[in-house]
Amino acid sequence: MLKSSVDEQAEEPFERLGRDERRVWINLAKVLLTLPGALESQLLRDADLTLLGYMILARLSVVPGENLRMSEIAEMANGSLPRISHAVARLEDRGWVTRKVCTGQGRRFTIATLTDAGREHLAAASPAHVANVRRLVVDPLGDDFVRLGGAVERIVENLGLPTEVLKRPNP
């Protein structure tokens, strides 16, 4: 089956990437493949957190009540429920998140809630993580970083992912 779809694609004309487009695409692919590992290695070394774990804690810290349904976390992380469940279980084992099974509207769902220990761990992990993000991404781009935001939002929208801006709740 794969062979026939490849054959069909080969028969259809396509527009090749131009020299500049190819150069940019290859460099973007390098960033997409390398940056998550560079960010995660710092988080693992300094805070015993995966990048996904950090993103889950960070997301919980900015939503009202500091809790979300597991399905909402999966959507935020563009991950499957089993993958997210495993990641949240690791956070729960460390005391940074609690999970509670709830029922409503005839359905069962699980809510993950940030704990005080999780909030403290996130606060301790954030300075080094943000410094690493600045060193690897923000500073090299300078003023282009904010302009890149519009282009990245278009890609996120094209992928069918939400582009909402997260705001910390007022104390």
Side-chain angles (χ1 to χ4, degrees):
M1 177 112 172
L2 179 61
K3 185 176 181 339
S4 65
S5 67
V6 169
D7 290 341
E8 289 170 16
Q9 289 175 359
E11 292 173 14
E12 295 178 19
F14 69 97
E15 184 180 349
R16 294 189 182 274
L17 296 176
R19 182 178 173 176
D20 289 340
E21 290 171 325
R22 190 172 43 252
R23 177 183 51 79
V24 171
W25 169 243
I26 289 170
N27 284 327
L28 178 58
K30 288 177 185 178
V31 169
L32 295 172
L33 295 170
T34 307
L35 184 60
L39 294 173
E40 185 162 88
S41 66
Q42 176 274 316
L43 283 166
L44 285 169
R45 181 186 65 243
D46 296 345
D48 194 26
L49 266 175
T50 63
L51 182 57
L52 177 58
Y54 181 89
M55 297 307 294
I56 291 169
L57 294 179
R59 175 63 185 227
L60 288 170
S61 77
V62 296
V63 296
E66 297 183 325
N67 63 60
L68 288 169
R69 289 184 180 202
M70 293 294 288
S71 59
E72 293 172 309
I73 295 171
E75 180 181 314
M76 175 272 308
N78 195 34
S80 67
L81 276 174
R83 177 177 177 233
I84 296 307
S85 182
H86 183 70
V88 172
R90 287 192 312 262
L91 298 173
E92 188 176 35
D93 289 345
R94 292 181 168 105
W96 300 334
V97 170
T98 59
R99 288 186 291 178
K100 179 181 176 186
V101 176
C102 302
T103 56
Q105 301 170 345
R107 296 174 50 197
R108 286 176 37 129
F109 54 92
T110 302
I111 298 285
T113 303
L114 186 65
T115 65
D116 291 341
R119 193 176 315 100
E120 290 170 12
H121 193 73
L122 178 65
S126 291
H129 174 66
V130 171
N132 201 29
V133 169
R134 286 192 174 285
R135 180 180 65 82
L136 294 173
V137 180
V138 178
D139 293 345
L141 290 174
D143 293 340
D144 290 336
F145 180 71
V146 174
R147 285 192 291 276
L148 178 65
V152 170
E153 279 190 19
R154 291 192 301 275
I155 294 170
V156 168
E157 289 169 355
N158 198 44
L159 292 170
L161 301 172
T163 60
E164 78 274 3
V165 175
L166 301 176
K167 296 181 181 175
R168 293 196 175 277
N170 293 329

